[in-house]
Amino acid sequence: MTEIKDKSLETFFTELASKAPTPGGGSAAAVMGAQSAALTSMVCNLTIGKPKFAEVEADMQALLEKSEALRVKLTDMIKADVDVFNRLMATYGLPKETDEQKAVRSAAIQEALKEATEVPLTCALACREAIDLSRLAAEKGNPGVISDAGVAAMAGYGALKSAALNVYINAGSLKDRDFAEAKLAALESLLQGSEVAAEEIYRIVKTKL
Amino acid sequence: MTEIKDKSLETFFTELASKAPTPGGGSAAAVMGAQSAALTSMVCNLTIGKPKFAEVEADMQALLEKSEALRVKLTDMIKADVDVFNRLMATYGLPKETDEQKAVRSAAIQEALKEATEVPLTCALACREAIDLSRLAAEKGNPGVISDAGVAAMAGYGALKSAALNVYINAGSLKDRDFAEAKLAALESLLQGSEVAAEEIYRIVKTKL
């Protein structure tokens, strides 16, 4: 089967729109996040090597390395979201006739839910990083392409808030409340200040246009 | 040449990250917008036909028709952004040796700038519509997939703010200030309340998870 990242944009949108349960919002979040990282890379690539911006050359090289690693990570998360969803759905399909089967099924569901909480949390972490990287691009990148840093900030913010929804859903169904609360606390710390950060980056960009 | 919508997600991200001037933030905005419309369609498609949601069946059918039309429109805008950018760049390349050439070039640039203001404004309008459609999905859609409506709202908002940046850039270079001010006023009316709208939809979704 063709992996989602290898499908065309149009096919991806069509599958997203369809009644098939995947790809869904989790993959869409990863796609937005990958766009954010890619746009930060673009600003770096259009700044590096130009004598006019020699002063920030090293910063931009370091930023590009981070944004490219993040782009790879977020691209992989498009599939990770689908995989964890499918694993979770498979556990719901386990037999539940005998008490033993019920116990096995319930434990498997809970295990899959833990993973289905962690995967979007990892995505949210990467998206928060994408926002933070876009700030460096907005502050130090080539002003001629600075709007792309603003788009990177907005895409990263949209991606973070989107990934958060999948953490909420799955954490809500977890019986291990200590685990759930720890993951929700980690999520809150990622969300904390993210809106203000995205707005600030957007404002920095707007003043440079 | 392969149209962007027919390229794979991974290729799109790679080209976005590269130092080639297109695709850039304008195409990324259209991709986010198309994802927003697609996710509203997904909520509709997972609500329609289920006896449990018979009461909202007609609303969801009407919504699906709108979100699918919007998805097509926003998918087309990925290319429209590249095309208008290329046309603008071509005008900058016109000869400017004689006074007559300079006048012709300047007029051509201004004409292309008008188009380069209108194209992202049209995208912004579609993105605002995508946010508004996601509200109906959040309010009336199948609560089992409601998180996708929340992602649709965030993607639409990120797309709108991103498209706005391209309007600002090009309107800023226009000599016809009446035209520019009219387009900027139209943009402001689209932005007006969009943040509150996206937040409200997100909140509606979060309370239903």
Side-chain angles (χ1 to χ4, degrees):
Chain A
M1 217 177 91
T2 310
E3 203 179 305
I4 297 177
K5 68 175 178 160
D6 297 320
K7 294 185 182 182
S8 75
L9 285 165
E10 189 163 42
T11 300
F12 172 66
F13 299 147
T14 302
E15 293 187 353
L16 200 57
S18 81
K19 67 181 176 186
T22 61
S27 292
V31 167
M32 276 189 271
Q35 288 193 87
S36 172
L39 285 162
T40 291
S41 295
M42 182 184 182
V43 175
C44 294
N45 280 320
L46 285 161
T47 307
I48 292 166
K50 296 193 194 297
K52 202 171 158 188
F53 308 116
E55 208 175 287
V56 296
E57 175 95 11
D59 290 336
M60 288 291 112
Q61 289 281 11
L63 178 56
L64 178 61
E65 205 167 302
K66 287 181 189 167
S67 59
E68 285 296 273
L70 202 57
R71 175 162 77 89
V72 170
K73 188 186 275 188
L74 281 157
T75 302
D76 287 343
M77 290 196 146
I78 303 169
K79 181 174 183 291
D81 181 81
V82 171
D83 289 346
V84 76
F85 180 88
N86 288 340
R87 280 197 290 277
L88 179 59
M89 285 304 110
T91 62
Y92 283 112
L94 289 173
K96 49 177 178 174
E97 280 167 34
T98 69
D99 283 350
E100 203 195 325
Q101 283 176 339
K102 279 180 195 167
V104 168
R105 178 176 175 272
S106 175
I109 290 172
Q110 288 298 316
E111 205 49 50
L113 275 172
K114 282 188 179 179
E115 215 191 341
T117 303
E118 279 177 327
V119 166
L121 181 60
T122 305
C123 184
L125 177 64
C127 295
R128 179 61 206 248
E129 198 183 341
I131 297 173
D132 296 338
L133 296 187
S134 74
R135 177 189 292 270
L136 295 172
E139 285 173 346
K140 302 190 173 179
N142 177 350
V145 294
I146 212 68
S147 69
D148 294 312
V151 177
M154 294 313 301
Y157 178 65
L160 169 58
K161 294 280 282 188
S162 297
L165 290 174
N166 278 355
V167 178
Y168 294 136
I169 295 172
N170 295 313
S173 304
L174 277 169
K175 287 183 185 162
D176 182 344
R177 294 316 301 164
D178 286 346
F179 178 94
E181 295 305 331
K183 298 302 168 185
L184 288 169
L187 176 65
E188 286 315 311
S189 81
L190 293 174
L191 289 169
Q192 189 86 42
S194 64
E195 186 173 0
V196 172
E199 268 171 23
E200 271 177 17
I201 301 162
Y202 194 85
R203 202 163 47 239
I204 291 169
V205 166
K206 223 183 133 182
T207 59
K208 289 188 179 184
L209 293 181
Chain B
M1 215 177 92
T2 310
E3 205 180 305
I4 299 177
K5 68 173 178 164
D6 297 320
K7 294 185 180 181
S8 75
L9 285 165
E10 189 163 42
T11 299
F12 172 66
F13 299 147
T14 302
E15 295 188 352
L16 201 56
S18 81
K19 66 180 175 186
T22 61
S27 292
V31 168
M32 275 190 270
Q35 287 192 89
S36 172
L39 285 162
T40 292
S41 295
M42 182 184 182
V43 175
C44 293
N45 279 321
L46 285 160
T47 306
I48 291 166
K50 296 195 195 295
K52 205 172 159 188
F53 307 117
E55 209 175 286
V56 297
E57 176 94 12
D59 290 335
M60 289 290 111
Q61 289 279 11
L63 177 58
L64 178 61
E65 205 167 301
K66 287 180 189 168
S67 59
E68 284 297 271
L70 203 57
R71 175 161 77 87
V72 171
K73 187 186 275 188
L74 282 157
T75 302
D76 286 344
M77 290 194 147
I78 303 169
K79 180 174 183 292
D81 182 79
V82 172
D83 289 345
V84 77
F85 181 87
N86 288 339
R87 279 197 292 276
L88 179 59
M89 286 304 110
T91 64
Y92 284 112
L94 289 173
K96 47 177 177 174
E97 282 166 32
T98 69
D99 282 352
E100 202 196 324
Q101 283 176 341
K102 279 181 193 164
V104 167
R105 178 176 176 272
S106 175
I109 290 173
Q110 288 298 316
E111 205 48 50
L113 275 171
K114 282 190 178 178
E115 217 191 341
T117 304
E118 278 176 329
V119 165
L121 181 60
T122 305
C123 184
L125 176 64
C127 294
R128 178 62 206 247
E129 198 184 340
I131 298 173
D132 296 338
L133 295 187
S134 74
R135 177 190 291 270
L136 293 172
E139 286 173 347
K140 300 189 172 179
N142 176 351
V145 294
I146 211 68
S147 68
D148 294 312
V151 178
M154 295 313 301
Y157 179 64
L160 169 57
K161 295 280 281 186
S162 298
L165 291 174
N166 279 353
V167 179
Y168 293 136
I169 297 172
N170 296 312
S173 303
L174 277 169
K175 287 182 185 161
D176 182 344
R177 294 315 302 163
D178 286 347
F179 179 94
E181 293 306 330
K183 297 303 168 186
L184 289 169
L187 177 65
E188 285 317 309
S189 83
L190 292 174
L191 290 169
Q192 187 87 44
S194 64
E195 187 173 359
V196 173
E199 268 172 23
E200 271 177 17
I201 300 163
Y202 194 85
R203 200 162 51 239
I204 290 169
V205 165
K206 223 182 133 182
T207 58
K208 288 188 179 183
L209 293 180

